[in-house]
Every structure is written in C-alpha cells, then in structure tokens.
Amino acid sequence: MKNIILFLLFCLPLGAWAQEIMTVHKTDGSTVDFYVDEVQRVTFATRELVNQYDLNGALSDVTAVLEWHDGDSLIYMLNATGEGTLQPAAPVAVRIAAADFGKQLAYEGGEAAAPFSIIIGGHRAALKHAAVKVAKDKLGKTLTLTIEAKMASGSLYAVYRGSFSVDYAAEQSCSYRSAEGAEEIGGAMSSLLRCAATTGTSVSFGLGNASAETAAGMRAGRFGVVFTLSASRVYSGEFDLAANPSAYQLKVYDYLLRTTTEAASSTTGTISTLRLGDNIYICIDVTLNGGLHVAASYKGAATDVESLDEMWPQAGDTNSLQVIEADGSTVRTDVPIVALQRRDGTDGMTYFYFMKNETDDPDDYYVTPMLKVRTDLIGTGEISLAETEANTWAVKFQAFQLSSPDNEYMNRIDNGTLSLAPNAAGDEIEVRLFLRNSYRTPWGGDTPSGTMDYLKLYWKGKISAYTGSK
C-alpha cells in the first residue's frame, strides 16, 4: 500500500495551481487584467471637473477660453487667448454654428453629419457620439461650456464656466458688383478711414480696394464705400439694415463709371463694427438698388481723417471719350477728344460735335459723337437725362442713339447725367456726359433695350467753329 501511495504522488503534475484574474472592460473596447491577489479592494467614485478637461485620461486645467467668430461659425478654443488660431494655441476646440449657440447639441453616430466639430491639436476628431453646449449668462459676461465625446482616438470631457475673450476672423478684402448678374470685382483691403467724431455722435468710415491713407487716395481704386453709423450702433456689433433704416447712411462710389448709389428703403444686408483692443473690426454685406452688392471684412487700425467728402467720384480732367463694357469691368474704347465744335440750330437746340481728329466729318455719327441740347439748359447745372421734358436733348454715336422722351421713333433713355458749364465769355465750356445704352422704345413698354454699355464724354476747353454742311 505504501508503494501505491508514493506512485500516485509522483504522477501528479509538479507546480500545478490556479489564480483568479479580474478583467476590466473599458468603454473604448480595450481590457485591463488585474490579479485578484494583487487587488486590495475596488471602490467607485464620481470625479467632478471644474474648469478642466480630461483628454484620454489626462486631466488639464482650463485657464482661458477664446470665442473666435468665423463667418457663420463660432469656435471656442480652450487655453487660447491671442489671435485666433487652431495651431498651436488651442489644444482643444469646438466649432458650432452661430445659430446653434445656447442649444444642447448631440451626435449619436451614424451617417448623419454631426452638428458641431471637435478639434484636437488642430485636427478634426472622428466622433462616435458626443454632446456639446455653449451658453452665456444674461449679461453675456460669463461663458458656460460642456463637452462629452467618445472619439475614435479616445475620449474628451470638458467643463468650463468663467470669463472669455473674443476675436474675429477677417479676410482683409472687399468686393463690388455693380448690378445683379454683373461680374464681381474683388480686391485686398489694407486700410480703413474713419472720420473723427466727438463722443456721443455718429461715426463715418471709408473703405475701398485702394490702399490709401486719405479720402482722395481712395479714388485710385475701382470703387469706394462710405457708411455712417449712429452713436447707438457704432462698435456695437452686427445689425440688420432693413430693420434699422434710421441707424445708418451708406453710399457706394464707382470710380470707373463715376456713379454714386445711396442706400434706400430696399437696401438689405448687415453691418458689423467692434473695437478689439487697438484694432477695429468691420464686416459689411449689403445689397442696394438693382442688385448692386458690396462686401468687406477687415480687422486692423483705422486712419482718422477730418472728412470723407473727397471720396466721391470727381470729374475727369482729360478730354476723352470712353466706352465701357456692360458689366462695368473693362474700358473698351478710350480715345482723346481734340476739339469741340458747336452749331446753333434754328430749332432752339445747340449741337456739339466731339472731334477725335480735327479732319473727321462732324456729321458722321459713327465717327464723331454728337450731342444736342436745348439751348436754355446750358449752364443750368447737372441734368438728369431720364427726367427731362420731351425734345430736350439727344446723343448719337454708333450704337448710342438716345434721346429725351419725345414720343417719336427714337430710344428714350432711362438713366444718365449731363452738365454744360460755359465761361463768362462763352468761348470755352466744360461738358460732362455720362449715360448707359439702356432705353425704352415706344413699342417695347417697360422692358429695357440696348447694349447696356456705358458712354463717358468729357471736354474742357475752347469751342471751335462747326465745319459740317448743316
């Protein structure tokens, strides 16, 4: 018997023993094993974040939050205080639509796009599910932000309540479109003029696509914009023009076409102005009569000037004829005028012939532009051509066959200005004519016809004798 017991003992596997293992299954799908005999006890507790964020288990304090306005979006950057940037200033950021501010936003995964973006180290995170809310107190001074997110790369929890700084994205550019369907003209915006004003009064700003420190210098660009805000609106953020027509004035200058368009009751859009430390932020997006559209986005210093009056389009000082394309972008014809001939008709009209060459035939309307005007209107200031009486004036030059509404088979213009300013002796004159080849016909009703090109004529000098045959 003793030998049998010894045999059985030697047949047992040496060192065979079992140990219990506790496996912890984490929410990201990974597991961690702990030997039970190494675990003294297991406890559970709730950790409350106070102005902190937990990124993949690493806890960090939130010492500052920057609210960055970027078009229709708001980006909240944790631990960023300077100029808005996602790299490298903000290790964690969240982007929401401005319209979603104050809402509880959630993403449950799936194919639908999340209503917000979470940005880690400057890169957009791939979300599994997440919840975000950003709000402010009634005074707008205290920001509350919460983020709970499960991401492909881990997890993020953030809680913040406190003060915040604000900054705005600015493209440093401006654009202009003369009418609906016309080509948009863009340009860099490197300067902003401000008309000095006393405290509590309105403030005027001037801008354009020219880099200038003076109002007159802005005329070197293609267009200019002057807007004036009431004391209650200046530096107060964005406001709707259509809803606040008495809070502003706005004029748009086209320096090529030499036109001025003022905001009216049909004007729509927004204007924003803010002080950001030593800088001024402006953003305008405005549509005026006929689809004329201007936009600008700028952040920087303003140059104070005493007046913005010199921004309005000045009369040219070169005796010339210009034909400008319908979209206002290109001067198709630009030739000098060498002489101006005058003929006094027996019909109470005075005829002017703009000679591109002294040997040209003044009666050839294809070569020589002709203007006739009722004699008693000479020297009476600027005339609105569309508002004149019948048999008041006419212009003939190539496709420009235009006249006042005389109800004959001639084209009746719907735009344009004319001024004729003679000297005291009557032997010199300054003539300014600007019009568009847009007109109504007796049979066409209110539908405009014409090439829509522009004609500009300028002359200042002696009046020559008529050399034609009439």
Side-chain angles (χ1 to χ4, degrees):
M1 177 63 71
K2 181 179 180 180
N3 290 336
I4 294 174
I5 294 173
L6 290 174
F7 175 77
L8 292 173
L9 288 173
F10 281 114
C11 287
L12 291 173
L14 296 176
W17 57 282
Q19 185 177 30
E20 293 187 11
I21 297 175
M22 179 176 68
T23 301
V24 177
H25 296 265
K26 300 177 68 175
T27 57
D28 62 2
S30 62
T31 61
V32 179
D33 291 337
F34 296 92
Y35 294 110
V36 172
D37 59 357
E38 294 178 355
V39 177
Q40 183 178 18
R41 66 180 180 273
V42 177
T43 61
F44 296 89
T46 300
R47 182 176 66 181
E48 182 178 358
L49 301 183
V50 179
N51 289 356
Q52 295 170 305
Y53 69 87
D54 180 330
L55 178 59
N56 298 330
L59 192 64
S60 300
D61 292 334
V62 179
T63 58
V65 173
L66 175 64
E67 180 183 79
W68 178 249
H69 294 245
D70 185 10
D72 294 331
S73 297
L74 294 172
I75 305 175
Y76 291 89
M77 306 180 197
L78 278 58
N79 293 343
T81 57
E83 294 291 322
T85 177
L86 294 181
Q87 296 184 18
V92 174
V94 59
R95 178 193 288 267
I96 66 172
D100 287 338
F101 182 83
K103 300 178 182 178
Q104 179 69 51
L105 305 176
Y107 174 65
E108 301 298 337
E111 297 182 357
F116 50 81
S117 300
I118 293 176
I119 304 157
I120 308 296
H123 301 283
R124 182 171 177 173
L127 300 178
K128 293 183 176 180
H129 55 86
V132 169
K133 184 173 183 179
V134 187
K136 296 176 185 175
D137 64 356
K138 293 182 178 180
L139 297 178
K141 301 296 184 181
T142 300
L143 178 78
T144 300
L145 179 147
T146 58
I147 303 173
E148 297 182 22
K150 297 296 182 182
M151 308 171 293
S153 58
S155 61
L156 171 67
Y157 302 91
V159 174
Y160 179 80
R161 178 178 173 81
S163 60
F164 60 99
S165 56
V166 180
D167 210 339
Y168 287 75
E171 298 178 358
Q172 308 299 99
S173 65
C174 52
S175 63
Y176 168 73
R177 185 187 68 213
S178 60
E180 187 68 38
E183 178 185 356
E184 185 171 87
I185 300 165
M189 183 180 166
S190 56
S191 58
L192 174 69
L193 306 183
R194 177 177 58 189
C195 188
T198 58
T199 303
T201 62
S202 60
V203 179
S204 297
F205 298 92
L207 61 95
N209 63 333
S211 177
E213 300 299 316
T214 65
M218 281 291 180
R219 299 202 305 268
R222 167 58 199 274
F223 64 92
V225 180
V226 172
F227 63 94
T228 301
L229 303 182
S230 64
S232 62
R233 288 296 181 182
V234 69
Y235 308 130
S236 64
E238 181 181 281
F239 74 96
D240 187 308
L241 274 61
N244 300 273
S246 63
Y248 78 100
Q249 296 176 335
L250 184 141
K251 295 181 180 180
V252 181
Y253 303 130
D254 188 317
Y255 295 121
L256 177 62
L257 304 181
R258 214 172 70 228
T259 58
T260 299
T261 305
E262 295 190 39
S265 58
S266 59
T267 298
T268 59
T270 58
I271 294 179
S272 298
T273 57
L274 288 168
R275 289 186 186 273
L276 298 175
D278 295 333
N279 291 329
I280 292 176
Y281 168 79
I282 70 162
C283 183
I284 66 173
D285 189 347
V286 181
T287 302
L288 294 86
N289 296 343
L292 186 155
H293 178 263
V294 291
S297 175
Y298 174 84
K299 182 174 66 179
T303 300
D304 288 316
V305 296
E306 293 184 0
S307 172
L308 295 172
D309 291 346
E310 291 190 10
M311 279 188 63
W312 68 272
Q314 308 291 310
D317 57 3
T318 301
N319 294 339
S320 64
L321 171 151
Q322 290 182 327
V323 177
I324 303 165
E325 297 282 0
D327 64 4
S329 63
T330 306
V331 178
R332 185 171 71 241
T333 303
D334 189 356
V335 295
I337 300 297
V338 301
L340 180 63
Q341 295 187 9
R342 172 175 175 164
R343 176 172 69 88
D344 293 321
T346 59
D347 54 356
M349 309 291 283
T350 297
Y351 296 73
F352 295 93
Y353 303 88
F354 296 84
M355 309 295 293
K356 294 182 289 182
N357 299 283
E358 292 186 358
T359 57
D360 288 344
D361 180 359
D363 297 324
D364 184 348
Y365 301 141
Y366 186 83
V367 175
T368 304
M370 185 279 292
L371 162 70
K372 75 173 181 178
V373 62
R374 206 171 68 195
T375 305
D376 62 354
L377 293 178
I378 297 174
T380 60
E382 186 173 86
I383 302 168
S384 175
L385 298 180
E387 298 174 0
T388 53
E389 299 175 354
N391 299 309
T392 299
W393 63 273
V395 171
K396 291 186 178 181
F397 175 65
Q398 298 179 5
F400 294 88
Q401 303 287 319
L402 305 164
S403 74
S404 53
D406 52 13
N407 296 316
E408 297 176 1
Y409 292 107
M410 296 186 69
N411 301 326
R412 294 169 287 118
I413 199 169
D414 55 14
N415 69 95
T417 57
L418 168 67
S419 67
L420 303 102
N423 64 355
D427 58 350
E428 294 186 5
I429 194 170
E430 181 181 34
V431 181
R432 287 185 289 162
L433 172 66
F434 177 77
L435 51 81
R436 191 176 197 184
N437 196 13
S438 172
Y439 54 84
R440 307 293 195 272
T441 63
W443 55 86
D446 290 331
T447 302
S449 301
T451 64
M452 303 300 166
D453 294 341
Y454 297 88
L455 176 67
K456 288 173 64 176
L457 281 170
Y458 181 78
W459 171 265
K460 185 176 183 179
K462 295 285 186 181
I463 298 175
S464 302
Y466 171 64
T467 60
S469 58
K470 295 183 179 179

XYZ file of all heavy atoms in Angstrom, residues 103-186:
617
model
N -27.856 76.099 -27.554
C -28.617 74.866 -27.679
C -27.814 73.680 -27.151
O -26.586 73.689 -27.167
C -28.979 74.607 -29.144
C -29.829 75.685 -29.791
C -30.084 75.349 -31.255
C -30.897 76.432 -31.946
N -31.102 76.115 -33.386
N -28.532 72.660 -26.707
C -27.902 71.395 -26.353
C -27.763 70.583 -27.632
O -28.749 70.189 -28.255
C -28.746 70.632 -25.341
C -28.161 69.279 -24.944
C -26.894 69.395 -24.115
O -26.873 70.118 -23.117
N -25.842 68.703 -24.524
N -26.539 70.356 -28.075
C -26.278 69.667 -29.337
C -25.798 68.250 -29.042
O -25.004 68.029 -28.130
C -25.224 70.414 -30.150
C -25.517 71.895 -30.435
C -24.347 72.531 -31.166
C -26.798 72.037 -31.249
N -26.262 67.303 -29.852
C -25.885 65.906 -29.633
C -25.622 65.226 -30.961
O -26.213 65.566 -31.994
C -26.984 65.168 -28.867
N -24.721 64.249 -30.917
C -24.433 63.413 -32.074
C -24.429 61.971 -31.599
O -23.687 61.597 -30.686
C -23.086 63.796 -32.680
C -22.639 62.883 -33.800
C -23.357 62.813 -34.984
C -21.507 62.089 -33.660
C -22.950 61.985 -36.027
C -21.091 61.244 -34.688
C -21.818 61.206 -35.870
O -21.421 60.370 -36.882
N -25.264 61.141 -32.225
C -25.414 59.751 -31.799
C -24.698 58.791 -32.728
O -24.878 57.572 -32.622
C -26.907 59.388 -31.741
C -27.723 60.254 -30.798
C -27.266 60.130 -29.348
O -26.649 59.089 -29.009
O -27.501 61.064 -28.566
N -23.886 59.307 -33.625
C -23.184 58.446 -34.570
C -24.019 58.183 -35.804
O -25.087 58.754 -36.005
N -23.536 57.323 -36.671
C -24.266 57.025 -37.886
C -23.786 57.866 -39.050
O -22.763 58.546 -38.994
N -24.559 57.839 -40.129
C -24.152 58.507 -41.353
C -24.417 60.012 -41.343
O -23.791 60.762 -42.080
C -24.870 57.878 -42.552
C -24.516 56.404 -42.766
C -25.201 55.823 -43.980
O -26.001 56.557 -44.616
O -24.960 54.643 -44.293
N -25.355 60.457 -40.531
C -25.663 61.888 -40.481
C -24.462 62.666 -39.934
O -23.737 62.189 -39.061
C -26.885 62.131 -39.617
N -24.265 63.871 -40.462
C -23.144 64.702 -40.021
C -23.428 65.262 -38.635
O -24.572 65.575 -38.291
C -22.909 65.837 -41.004
N -22.383 65.372 -37.860
C -22.526 65.970 -36.525
C -22.784 67.458 -36.655
O -22.261 68.117 -37.564
C -21.257 65.723 -35.709
N -23.592 68.046 -35.765
C -23.889 69.485 -35.837
C -22.773 70.355 -35.265
O -22.970 71.552 -35.076
C -25.166 69.603 -35.012
C -25.058 68.503 -34.007
C -24.370 67.370 -34.708
N -21.631 69.759 -34.997
C -20.502 70.507 -34.451
C -19.225 69.731 -34.786
O -19.279 68.581 -35.267
C -20.627 70.688 -32.935
C -20.927 69.414 -32.198
C -19.919 68.505 -31.884
C -22.226 69.096 -31.833
C -20.198 67.316 -31.231
C -22.518 67.903 -31.178
C -21.494 67.012 -30.883
N -18.093 70.362 -34.567
C -16.804 69.705 -34.769
C -15.983 69.848 -33.504
O -15.979 70.910 -32.881
C -16.044 70.336 -35.945
O -16.779 70.223 -37.138
N -15.282 68.781 -33.138
C -14.324 68.825 -32.039
C -12.929 68.727 -32.642
O -12.658 67.848 -33.477
C -14.584 67.704 -31.034
C -15.923 67.952 -30.328
C -13.452 67.602 -30.014
C -16.335 66.861 -29.379
N -12.081 69.650 -32.250
C -10.758 69.779 -32.863
C -9.705 69.556 -31.785
O -9.672 70.262 -30.773
C -10.601 71.163 -33.513
C -11.727 71.387 -34.530
C -9.240 71.309 -34.183
C -12.020 72.808 -34.840
N -8.864 68.550 -31.989
C -7.812 68.200 -31.049
C -6.464 68.481 -31.702
O -6.148 67.905 -32.746
C -7.888 66.721 -30.634
C -9.298 66.355 -30.140
C -6.840 66.412 -29.575
C -9.724 67.088 -28.898
N -5.699 69.385 -31.115
C -4.390 69.698 -31.672
C -4.439 70.204 -33.094
O -3.533 69.965 -33.882
N -5.505 70.887 -33.435
C -5.635 71.443 -34.775
C -6.248 70.507 -35.790
O -6.417 70.887 -36.951
N -6.626 69.277 -35.386
C -7.185 68.304 -36.318
C -8.586 67.898 -35.861
O -8.822 67.674 -34.682
C -6.290 67.069 -36.411
C -4.904 67.376 -36.868
N -4.590 67.628 -38.188
C -3.742 67.503 -36.161
C -3.296 67.873 -38.284
N -2.753 67.816 -37.074
N -9.473 67.793 -36.831
C -10.856 67.426 -36.525
C -10.926 65.965 -36.086
O -10.396 65.074 -36.767
C -11.736 67.651 -37.746
C -13.208 67.356 -37.515
C -14.023 67.810 -38.715
N -15.426 67.483 -38.551
C -16.382 67.881 -39.385
N -16.039 68.631 -40.416
N -17.625 67.548 -39.179
N -11.561 65.717 -34.964
C -11.641 64.374 -34.413
C -12.780 63.589 -35.062
O -13.822 64.153 -35.414
C -11.856 64.435 -32.901
N -12.558 62.282 -35.230
C -13.605 61.377 -35.713
C -14.476 60.987 -34.520
O -14.013 60.345 -33.578
C -12.979 60.149 -36.351
N -15.740 61.367 -34.547
C -16.626 61.177 -33.406
C -17.409 59.870 -33.506
O -17.844 59.467 -34.593
C -17.608 62.352 -33.310
C -16.998 63.751 -33.132
C -18.102 64.799 -33.112
C -16.164 63.822 -31.868
N -17.600 59.240 -32.356
C -18.527 58.112 -32.246
C -19.873 58.598 -31.729
O -20.905 58.324 -32.315
C -17.943 57.052 -31.321
C -16.697 56.370 -31.879
C -16.208 55.283 -30.944
C -15.024 54.528 -31.526
N -14.536 53.462 -30.617
N -19.837 59.315 -30.634
C -21.020 60.026 -30.147
C -20.526 61.119 -29.211
O -19.465 61.007 -28.582
C -22.031 59.088 -29.462
C -21.455 58.284 -28.348
N -21.368 58.752 -27.052
C -20.930 57.036 -28.327
C -20.827 57.834 -26.286
N -20.543 56.773 -27.030
N -21.306 62.211 -29.144
C -20.842 63.365 -28.374
C -22.003 64.293 -28.077
O -23.065 64.229 -28.719
C -19.763 64.120 -29.148
N -21.786 65.163 -27.083
C -22.752 66.198 -26.718
C -21.992 67.469 -26.384
O -20.934 67.421 -25.752
C -23.608 65.762 -25.536
N -22.531 68.601 -26.830
C -21.871 69.902 -26.647
C -22.930 70.940 -26.316
O -24.018 70.933 -26.900
C -21.100 70.330 -27.914
C -20.654 71.786 -27.818
C -19.908 69.420 -28.156
N -22.596 71.845 -25.402
C -23.449 73.006 -25.170
C -22.570 74.197 -24.804
O -21.642 74.071 -23.994
C -24.472 72.766 -24.059
C -25.420 73.956 -23.878
C -26.550 73.674 -22.903
C -27.503 74.874 -22.819
N -28.627 74.626 -21.905
N -22.865 75.339 -25.440
C -22.177 76.592 -25.137
C -23.239 77.650 -24.914
O -24.145 77.814 -25.741
C -21.231 77.022 -26.275
C -20.411 78.231 -25.840
C -20.324 75.888 -26.700
N -23.149 78.361 -23.809
C -24.139 79.383 -23.488
C -23.466 80.495 -22.685
O -22.299 80.384 -22.287
C -25.303 78.785 -22.710
N -24.205 81.585 -22.481
C -23.718 82.714 -21.685
C -24.804 83.143 -20.715
O -25.990 82.831 -20.911
C -23.319 83.893 -22.586
C -22.156 83.619 -23.508
C -21.904 84.801 -24.435
C -20.823 84.487 -25.450
N -20.632 85.571 -26.439
N -24.399 83.909 -19.706
C -25.392 84.461 -18.795
C -26.115 85.619 -19.466
O -25.816 85.997 -20.604
C -24.730 84.891 -17.481
C -23.727 86.021 -17.679
O -23.489 86.426 -18.842
O -23.178 86.501 -16.678
N -27.075 86.198 -18.770
C -27.900 87.254 -19.360
C -27.088 88.477 -19.760
O -27.429 89.173 -20.721
C -29.006 87.651 -18.386
C -30.045 86.564 -18.154
C -31.143 87.025 -17.211
C -32.195 85.944 -17.017
N -33.277 86.381 -16.102
N -26.019 88.755 -19.042
C -25.186 89.918 -19.364
C -24.151 89.609 -20.444
O -23.475 90.518 -20.924
C -24.486 90.420 -18.093
C -25.402 90.922 -16.970
C -24.557 91.328 -15.764
C -26.258 92.084 -17.461
N -24.030 88.368 -20.806
C -23.058 87.985 -21.816
C -21.623 88.034 -21.345
O -20.692 88.030 -22.159
N -21.403 88.027 -20.048
C -20.050 88.150 -19.493
C -19.459 86.807 -19.074
O -18.238 86.661 -18.996
C -20.066 89.085 -18.287
C -20.575 90.490 -18.586
C -19.672 91.219 -19.554
C -20.137 92.660 -19.757
N -19.264 93.386 -20.723
N -20.315 85.835 -18.758
C -19.847 84.543 -18.263
C -20.218 83.451 -19.255
O -21.383 83.331 -19.653
C -20.458 84.223 -16.888
O -20.079 85.239 -15.963
C -19.958 82.876 -16.384
N -19.245 82.658 -19.642
C -19.434 81.597 -20.614
C -19.510 80.254 -19.897
O -18.739 79.978 -18.978
C -18.263 81.581 -21.602
C -18.283 80.496 -22.680
C -19.253 80.900 -23.774
C -16.890 80.281 -23.252
N -20.452 79.419 -20.322
C -20.551 78.055 -19.831
C -20.369 77.104 -21.006
O -21.057 77.234 -22.028
C -21.908 77.793 -19.171
O -22.076 78.695 -18.073
C -21.999 76.361 -18.653
N -19.450 76.150 -20.852
C -19.146 75.214 -21.930
C -19.018 73.811 -21.370
O -18.338 73.593 -20.352
C -17.847 75.623 -22.630
C -17.344 74.739 -23.781
C -16.633 75.578 -24.817
C -16.395 73.652 -23.276
N -19.679 72.849 -21.985
C -19.552 71.436 -21.603
C -19.369 70.602 -22.864
O -20.035 70.840 -23.884
C -20.779 70.928 -20.832
O -21.950 71.102 -21.649
C -20.960 71.682 -19.537
N -18.476 69.618 -22.784
C -18.223 68.694 -23.891
C -18.117 67.288 -23.319
O -17.392 67.052 -22.341
C -16.914 69.029 -24.636
C -16.916 70.472 -25.157
C -16.691 68.051 -25.790
C -15.584 70.904 -25.744
N -18.843 66.355 -23.904
C -18.696 64.934 -23.608
C -18.587 64.219 -24.946
O -19.508 64.291 -25.761
C -19.885 64.396 -22.821
C -20.075 65.021 -21.454
C -21.246 64.409 -20.699
O -21.615 63.267 -21.049
O -21.798 65.069 -19.804
N -17.471 63.560 -25.186
C -17.271 62.966 -26.504
C -16.508 61.661 -26.418
O -15.516 61.551 -25.692
C -16.515 63.949 -27.407
N -16.996 60.684 -27.180
C -16.266 59.464 -27.453
C -15.774 59.548 -28.893
O -16.566 59.750 -29.823
C -17.158 58.232 -27.273
C -17.661 58.044 -25.847
C -16.520 57.794 -24.876
C -17.053 57.555 -23.465
N -15.951 57.357 -22.501
N -14.479 59.403 -29.060
C -13.866 59.568 -30.360
C -13.145 58.295 -30.759
O -12.878 57.418 -29.935
C -12.881 60.744 -30.315
C -13.498 62.036 -29.765
S -12.271 63.339 -29.464
C -11.328 62.621 -28.098
N -12.815 58.211 -32.030
C -12.063 57.051 -32.487
C -10.722 56.968 -31.785
O -10.168 55.886 -31.595
C -11.877 57.131 -33.998
N -10.195 58.122 -31.358
C -8.879 58.157 -30.720
C -8.948 58.228 -29.201
O -7.929 58.432 -28.543
C -8.100 59.378 -31.231
O -8.817 60.574 -30.957
N -10.143 58.111 -28.637
C -10.255 58.159 -27.186
C -11.477 58.916 -26.724
O -12.543 58.850 -27.347
N -11.333 59.664 -25.638
C -12.474 60.370 -25.058
C -12.068 61.777 -24.631
O -10.888 62.070 -24.422
C -13.022 59.601 -23.855
O -12.015 59.498 -22.848
N -13.082 62.643 -24.529
C -12.862 64.020 -24.082
C -14.039 64.436 -23.214
O -15.199 64.264 -23.594
C -12.746 64.976 -25.274
C -12.739 66.474 -24.940
C -11.473 66.850 -24.170
C -12.873 67.318 -26.205
N -13.714 64.982 -22.045
C -14.711 65.589 -21.173
C -14.181 66.969 -20.795
O -13.016 67.108 -20.408
C -14.938 64.751 -19.913
C -15.380 63.342 -20.199
C -14.435 62.327 -20.331
C -16.721 63.032 -20.354
C -14.822 61.032 -20.609
C -17.121 61.735 -20.629
C -16.162 60.735 -20.763
O -16.551 59.453 -21.043
N -15.020 67.984 -20.928
C -14.584 69.338 -20.615
C -15.717 70.098 -19.952
O -16.886 69.974 -20.356
C -14.123 70.072 -21.867
N -15.375 70.888 -18.941
C -16.336 71.745 -18.251
C -15.646 73.070 -17.990
O -14.517 73.118 -17.484
C -16.804 71.116 -16.919
C -17.679 72.108 -16.163
C -17.549 69.825 -17.169
N -16.353 74.162 -18.341
C -15.785 75.493 -18.057
C -16.920 76.458 -17.771
O -17.962 76.447 -18.441
C -14.967 76.007 -19.245
C -14.376 77.375 -19.000
C -13.224 77.527 -18.239
C -14.998 78.527 -19.503
C -12.693 78.783 -17.994
C -14.475 79.783 -19.256
C -13.323 79.909 -18.501
O -12.796 81.154 -18.258
N -16.680 77.330 -16.798
C -17.590 78.433 -16.515
C -16.738 79.596 -16.050
O -16.022 79.505 -15.043
C -18.619 78.078 -15.441
C -19.549 79.233 -15.083
C -20.586 78.821 -14.037
N -21.367 79.963 -13.590
C -22.406 80.483 -14.247
N -22.781 79.944 -15.394
N -23.076 81.510 -13.768
N -16.790 80.706 -16.807
C -15.982 81.853 -16.430
C -15.918 82.881 -17.543
O -16.715 82.875 -18.482
N -14.962 83.765 -17.431
C -14.791 84.834 -18.412
C -14.177 84.273 -19.693
O -13.684 83.139 -19.729
C -13.899 85.933 -17.840
O -12.621 85.413 -17.518
N -14.184 85.077 -20.739
C -13.664 84.626 -22.022
C -13.248 85.852 -22.824
O -13.674 86.985 -22.558
C -14.712 83.818 -22.790
C -15.977 84.597 -23.091
C -16.187 85.176 -24.328
C -16.953 84.774 -22.111
C -17.341 85.900 -24.597
C -18.112 85.494 -22.361
C -18.300 86.065 -23.610
N -12.424 85.647 -23.817
C -12.035 86.718 -24.737
C -12.672 86.457 -26.094
O -13.112 85.343 -26.391
C -10.512 86.811 -24.859
O -9.966 85.566 -25.256
N -12.727 87.495 -26.925
C -13.410 87.420 -28.220
C -12.477 87.921 -29.314
O -11.760 88.907 -29.127
C -14.710 88.252 -28.214
C -15.408 88.171 -29.563
C -15.635 87.797 -27.100
N -12.483 87.253 -30.431
C -11.758 87.726 -31.599
C -12.544 87.338 -32.849
O -13.456 86.504 -32.779
C -10.343 87.130 -31.648
C -9.360 88.084 -32.329
O -9.821 88.965 -33.071
O -8.145 87.934 -32.122
N -12.193 87.954 -33.963
C -12.958 87.790 -35.191
C -12.033 87.468 -36.352
O -10.945 88.037 -36.473
C -13.741 89.071 -35.524
C -14.921 89.304 -34.627
C -14.752 89.758 -33.326
C -16.213 89.061 -35.076
C -15.835 89.966 -32.488
C -17.311 89.269 -34.248
C -17.109 89.725 -32.959
O -18.186 89.926 -32.133
N -12.486 86.585 -37.225
C -11.767 86.314 -38.464
C -12.077 87.429 -39.451
O -13.220 87.856 -39.575
C -12.195 84.966 -39.040
N -11.074 87.924 -40.119
C -11.256 88.961 -41.133
C -10.435 88.597 -42.352
O -9.262 88.234 -42.234
C -10.843 90.328 -40.595
N -11.049 88.683 -43.525
C -10.364 88.298 -44.756
C -9.504 89.416 -45.328
O -8.778 89.200 -46.299
C -11.391 87.849 -45.795
C -12.186 86.622 -45.366
C -13.231 86.209 -46.379
O -13.363 86.912 -47.406
O -13.908 85.198 -46.148
N -9.602 90.615 -44.745
C -8.837 91.774 -45.229
C -9.094 91.989 -46.729
O -8.171 92.189 -47.519
C -7.340 91.598 -44.971
C -6.972 91.241 -43.542
C -7.385 92.295 -42.526
O -8.416 92.151 -41.883
N -6.607 93.340 -42.397
N -10.350 91.944 -47.104
C -10.696 92.075 -48.517
C -12.042 92.762 -48.661
O -12.813 92.875 -47.710
C -10.742 90.709 -49.200
O -11.794 89.927 -48.657
N -12.308 93.233 -49.861
C -13.601 93.837 -50.169
C -13.961 93.478 -51.603
O -13.097 93.129 -52.413
C -13.575 95.351 -49.976
S -12.233 96.195 -50.834
N -15.246 93.544 -51.910
C -15.710 93.194 -53.252
C -16.871 94.100 -53.648
O -17.553 94.676 -52.802
C -16.132 91.721 -53.322
O -17.239 91.486 -52.464
N -17.070 94.180 -54.963
C -18.084 95.084 -55.518
C -18.684 94.447 -56.763
O -17.964 93.896 -57.605
C -17.425 96.414 -55.880
C -18.266 97.341 -56.720
C -19.358 98.012 -56.182
C -17.966 97.570 -58.058
C -20.118 98.878 -56.948
C -18.715 98.437 -58.838
C -19.796 99.082 -58.278
O -20.552 99.940 -59.037
N -20.018 94.505 -56.854
C -20.726 94.075 -58.051
C -21.698 95.183 -58.417
O -22.539 95.582 -57.605
C -21.479 92.774 -57.772
C -22.166 92.174 -59.000
C -23.031 90.987 -58.609
N -24.175 91.412 -57.818
C -24.721 90.691 -56.850
N -24.206 89.525 -56.523
N -25.766 91.150 -56.183
N -21.571 95.698 -59.627
C -22.332 96.893 -59.999
C -23.828 96.630 -60.130
O -24.630 97.548 -59.932
C -21.799 97.470 -61.310
O -21.903 96.512 -62.359
N -24.228 95.411 -60.485
C -25.651 95.099 -60.641
C -25.818 93.590 -60.612
O -24.846 92.829 -60.723
C -26.187 95.662 -61.963
N -27.057 93.158 -60.448
C -27.355 91.729 -60.447
C -26.868 91.099 -61.749
O -27.177 91.573 -62.833
C -28.857 91.509 -60.299
C -29.245 90.061 -60.120
C -28.783 89.505 -58.780
O -28.844 90.246 -57.781
O -28.375 88.335 -58.750
N -26.068 90.042 -61.646
C -25.554 89.373 -62.836
C -24.242 89.919 -63.344
O -23.610 89.306 -64.207
N -23.817 91.071 -62.852
C -22.554 91.653 -63.312
C -21.374 90.928 -62.674
O -21.512 90.219 -61.672
C -22.500 93.136 -62.973
N -20.216 91.114 -63.263
C -19.011 90.494 -62.729
C -18.654 91.119 -61.381
O -18.712 92.330 -61.208
C -17.847 90.700 -63.700
C -16.520 90.141 -63.218
C -15.379 90.478 -64.149
O -15.645 91.079 -65.198
O -14.229 90.144 -63.821
N -18.287 90.268 -60.423
C -17.873 90.772 -59.117
C -16.403 91.137 -59.161
O -15.575 90.388 -59.661
C -18.132 89.734 -58.033
C -17.830 90.252 -56.635
C -18.287 89.310 -55.539
O -17.502 88.413 -55.189
O -19.424 89.474 -55.059
N -16.090 92.299 -58.632
C -14.721 92.795 -58.616
C -14.230 92.747 -57.179
O -14.841 93.331 -56.284
C -14.656 94.230 -59.161
C -15.165 94.258 -60.607
C -13.242 94.793 -59.079
C -15.476 95.638 -61.118
N -13.150 92.038 -56.944
C -12.608 91.911 -55.602
C -11.279 92.618 -55.461
O -10.658 93.020 -56.446
